[in-house]
Amino acid sequence: MNVKTVLVLLLLALATIFALVCVLLTRGRAPGTCQHQPPAQEDPDAGRSLVFADLTPEEMVQVVRYLQGHLGVPLVDASRAKPSDNCIASVDVQVPDKAEVLRFLDGGGARPPREALAVLYFGNQPDPNVTEYVVGPLPVPAYHRDVTVQKYGGKVPYHRRPVTAQEYRDVNSLIRRELRKAPRFLAACCGSDGADLAILTTAPRGFKSGDRATWFVLFHGVPGTGFYLSPVGLEVLVEHGDLRVPRWRLRKVFYNSLYFSSMEDLEEAFLANVLDVVRVEKPQGDAVLGSMRPQRPPGSPGPLPYEPQGPRYTVRDNRVTFQGWSIAFGMNPFSGPRLFDIRYRGERIVYELSLQEALALYGSNCPGGMSTRYLDGSFGIGRFSYELVRGLDCPYTATYVDRHYLVESDTPTTNQNSLCLFEHDAALPLRRHFSDAQSVYYGGLRKTALVIRAISTLINYDYVWDFMFHGSGAVEVRVHATGYISSSFLHSRGTEFGSRVGPHTLGTMHLHHVHYKVDLDVDGRSAWLWLSGGLWLCRGRGAQEGFSFCFAGQLNSVDTQDMAYELVKDPWSRQNTIERPYLRRERLEREDEAAFPLNTPLPRYLSFASPRNNKWGHPRSYRIQISSPGAEHLPTSSPMERAISWGRYQLAVTRRKEEEPTSSSIYNQNDPWTPTVAFADFINNETITNEDLVAWILVGFLHVPHAEDVPNTVTVGNGVGFFLRPYNYFDEDPSVDSPDSIYFSSEQDASACGVNPLACLPPAAACAPHLPPFRYGGFLNL
């Protein structure tokens, strides 16, 4: 044996020893890390979805600079502006008209100019008002135009403006000054000097247009827990409509069923021993009602979802794609989540799917509770969508996206990680069958869906907004309510308005109504009018130069189906009869027919139908299926009902119009008696056959609080929503193309990887998900 052979054998021996050592050392270690690299894909969108994109912080800054230099009036930063100042209240993207967008997306037209919508409060002028400007083009603005009259038919009166944080601070200062005028009463009722009491607003603010008088409810404030369950029984009415803050005044005081003109009068009644005082001690430590601090040490971690071979969806800019789905997503700072250009298999199904408004209407025998009708859009559903907690608000490995807004400040704010996207395994078959007749086999498909989620904290309540996209071509929209219930001080016959949930706490009954806009474009094909001579004519828009075509609207109609019975003679036994069920089909011709009030029957099948048929001769359609109609609407005799008249209808279908973009307005909260937008006016019996149509959908529920709402309302049983489901849109269920389908027969080995992909999971899943470090910066913007 020569030296070379010896050296080769020696090296082989060393390599074998090294491999054995590695095996022994790694035995018992954690499995390898899964690779999270989605396969590279071509992007046919090529950035076109950016036509819907929210403004970037840089664009917001440019708009602010432009307005500061081109309006010719001094502008004070809204974060410190007084009512008598001029300020920029908000800046958001101005989404172009649908016709312009579809010419760009579908007709080969030019990209519409990118513009912003700026809302300004002009308090420092002879005629104070709210004005809205469109500013563009971005990123370097060169023009602005006042669109207030065009949108609302006139100037927006100044008293309709939402209350700013600075206004609340000034009100709170007034209340605390007034509280000092009743020191002995406060010591007796609450063990407080008033400085440590929490103050909660109500809304609306009066009884008629022009009023700005708000009831504020006082609670014991305890650091680290919600104060909403600890009312002390004291409520005050503040008049704060004057533009000069020193002229604001406390107009009325309520305590334990009695009303007083001032805190001095309340103090006098107490000293005269004619006031029934209920002492409510400030809760301490573990006695705090509603504390969310854990009562047990942490246990073992629960199950975690993860993607064994990486996420199966792709996020680029403001667009997500997933197994045939394509969605452009965004967030309005006031009305909240909004989606555009929702396509499945390349065909547009929905042009716009957006949250419009959320109403919480309370009942109580205390003034603050009985008068509360919160329109959350005026507070800021999108603005108050804060950072999501990884692993609790969304799956740990979800994709988290920052959202930016400019409201009540000259400087943009970023709510980081405030929108999440993930694939959800429902742990339920989408479809399945075990065959035990004739042939023996199993076939099925897992139910997974892409979820886009945001969570808004609106004072006491938290709303979980979900938009889900299923492999069957269905869109699911749902909202869950959690957070704290609002409460009143329990006195006299308080339980007629809710349930006692604490020593002095009444959980007050309330309804939740949530409104959505669904601009369905079923069949995904735009209708165009081709004209010659470089002129085009759009309905209601007149002739325009420079184009050779015009968008005429997506042609859809509304079809309904329901079951009825007919009494017929038995064909085989004429002396007998049978009650035969049949389908009662109808095409709704006008808006009034397609406006379905609450508490009236809604057709079980209501669909947006295309003029084209599927393979089997039925109109290609999408069905609207509402799983939760709302609770009792405010009576139409109420002077403020028109401001929430969208709540009259569980479903209404109208012709789409650019001048009817939203069902509510941020100005409706503080002047519901003369609403800036009255949805009821949208329904004027126009034809809805072969037109571009919008469905306005209401979901909601009545909540009578109970002991289990303490510390927090749970999401279980408090979720409502609706579906958009294909109905003869396809020739068969499109999920047959899913790579997740499972099929094996009795003649096959179900444990073989080549037959059953599920059998391959153990080796494929022999890796641990790569969990990014847990970080949370959600308190930075407060």
Side-chain angles (χ1 to χ4, degrees), residues 712-767:
N712 262 177
T713 294
V714 297
T715 55
V716 177
N718 290 314
V720 293
F722 62 92
F723 290 87
L724 307 174
R725 297 177 58 189
Y727 190 78
N728 289 317
Y729 186 85
F730 302 100
D731 299 331
E732 63 180 347
D733 179 11
S735 69
V736 297
D737 291 337
S738 173
D740 297 331
S741 294
I742 300 297
Y743 179 91
F744 49 81
S745 68
S746 60
E747 290 80 24
Q748 296 174 298
D749 180 3
S751 63
C753 272
V755 172
N756 176 13
L758 296 177
C760 301
L761 282 179
C767 60

Side-chain angles (χ1 to χ4, degrees), residues 53-344:
D54 296 344
L55 296 182
T56 66
E58 294 76 19
E59 289 173 324
M60 296 174 186
V61 169
Q62 290 296 326
V63 171
V64 170
R65 288 176 181 170
Y66 173 85
L67 292 171
Q68 290 171 337
H70 290 81
L71 294 185
V73 296
L75 294 175
V76 177
D77 191 313
S79 63
R80 53 183 175 80
K82 301 186 294 293
S84 56
D85 290 327
N86 305 323
C87 67
I88 301 171
S90 65
V91 176
D92 188 29
V93 67
Q94 172 73 10
V95 178
D97 286 358
K98 183 177 181 180
E100 297 180 61
V101 172
L102 294 188
R103 279 197 300 271
F104 168 62
L105 294 179
D106 301 343
R111 181 184 290 270
R114 187 157 168 78
E115 297 176 322
L117 178 68
V119 177
L120 282 89
Y121 298 165
F122 287 117
N124 185 14
Q125 63 179 46
D127 178 27
N129 65 82
V130 179
T131 302
E132 297 191 2
Y133 294 104
V134 169
V135 181
L138 301 179
V140 183
Y143 59 81
H144 66 282
R145 63 180 183 273
D146 185 341
V147 296
T148 317
V149 175
Q150 172 190 339
K151 290 178 66 175
Y152 305 117
K155 287 290 185 182
V156 176
Y158 198 56
H159 65 264
R160 295 183 189 174
R161 72 194 186 281
V163 176
T164 65
Q166 181 60 49
E167 187 173 352
Y168 280 126
R169 286 192 291 268
D170 290 336
V171 168
N172 288 355
S173 296
L174 168 63
I175 293 173
R176 296 197 189 283
R177 288 195 304 270
E178 292 293 322
L179 290 177
R180 289 198 290 269
K181 298 177 180 178
R184 297 185 184 180
F185 163 76
L186 285 177
C189 81
C190 319
S192 170
D193 62 359
D196 60 346
L197 296 181
I199 302 171
L200 177 66
T201 187
T202 65
R205 310 177 190 280
F207 293 98
K208 65 182 185 306
S209 292
D211 284 356
R212 204 172 181 88
T214 306
W215 278 103
F216 290 88
V217 185
L218 281 78
F219 298 80
H220 272 307
V222 180
T225 190
F227 60 82
Y228 311 101
L229 297 175
S230 303
V232 299
L234 183 63
E235 302 182 12
V236 296
L237 178 64
V238 176
E239 198 168 85
H240 53 112
D242 199 294
L243 300 191
R244 291 155 292 188
V245 175
R247 295 195 176 188
W248 295 355
R249 65 188 182 94
L250 189 148
R251 204 172 80 189
K252 194 72 68 177
V253 178
F254 171 84
Y255 180 74
N256 199 14
S257 304
L258 300 177
Y259 290 86
F260 302 88
S261 297
S262 65
M263 290 300 297
E264 292 98 328
D265 288 352
L266 176 62
E267 181 81 345
E268 288 179 11
F270 171 73
L271 295 176
N273 202 30
V274 295
L275 185 64
D276 183 15
V277 175
V278 179
R279 185 170 181 85
V280 182
E281 298 285 355
K282 184 173 182 176
Q284 302 292 327
D286 295 338
V288 175
L289 191 66
S291 173
M292 295 184 68
R293 291 184 173 90
Q295 298 184 11
R296 299 181 62 181
S300 60
L304 290 174
Y306 72 98
E307 303 101 341
Q309 296 180 348
R312 303 197 296 180
Y313 59 89
T314 302
V315 180
R316 290 188 177 92
D317 300 318
N318 65 322
R319 180 170 165 269
V320 57
T321 55
F322 169 75
Q323 294 187 354
W325 287 104
S326 170
I327 307 108
F329 57 86
M331 179 79 77
N332 182 290
F334 295 103
S335 59
R338 53 190 175 193
L339 308 179
F340 290 96
D341 199 25
I342 300 174
R343 303 186 186 215
Y344 187 63

Side-chain angles (χ1 to χ4, degrees), residues 229 231 289 363-365 485-491 493-510 703-710:
L229 297 175
L289 191 66
S364 172
N365 59 347
I485 57 172
S486 187
S487 69
S488 290
F489 186 75
L490 180 62
H491 70 96
R493 297 160 59 186
T495 51
E496 293 180 3
F497 306 94
S499 302
R500 181 180 181 181
V501 296
H504 307 287
T505 303
L506 174 70
T508 49
M509 64 179 292
H510 54 281
H703 186 182
V704 182
H706 45 91
E708 292 80 9
D709 282 311
V710 178

Side-chain angles (χ1 to χ4, degrees), residues 522-523 554-557 587 608-613 619-621:
V522 176
D523 208 1
Q554 178 61 42
L555 304 182
N556 285 158
S557 300
R587 172 154 290 185
F608 272 37
S610 161
R612 295 201 314 149
N613 291 341
R620 301 187 74 202
S621 306

